[in-house]
Amino acid sequence: MPRASDMVYHEKPPAHQVFDAGAWISAQGRLAVELARAAFALGRLDGAVAALDPAARQGA
């Protein structure tokens, strides 16, 4: 949300918002479990790659 200081500094209202933040937050809420699972899987993958020897890690 624009602050009064933003409008004073730029001397014009901010540009049109690119996307609806409310819809984004709502989707995050609906997909919280799936997003957590994806983050966990990415962490497991990162750990598995980190555990490889350096030569294998380069190929991974």
Side-chain angles (χ1 to χ4, degrees), residues 13-36:
H16 179 69
Q17 192 171 354
V18 177
F19 66 93
D20 180 10
W24 181 276
I25 292 169
S26 178
Q28 272 188 306
R30 286 191 312 273
L31 298 170
V33 173
E34 290 85 352
L35 289 168

Side-chain angles (χ1 to χ4, degrees), residues 2-48:
R3 297 182 304 260
S5 60
D6 293 337
M7 293 181 72
V8 170
Y9 179 78
H10 297 291
E11 297 179 3
K12 60 183 178 182
H16 179 69
Q17 192 171 354
V18 177
F19 66 93
D20 180 10
W24 181 276
I25 292 169
S26 178
Q28 272 188 306
R30 286 191 312 273
L31 298 170
V33 173
E34 290 85 352
L35 289 168
R37 285 182 182 147
F40 182 74
L42 183 58
R44 285 182 58 195
L45 176 61
D46 187 48

Side-chain angles (χ1 to χ4, degrees), residues 52-59:
L52 295 172
D53 64 82
R57 194 177 315 134
Q58 284 182 342

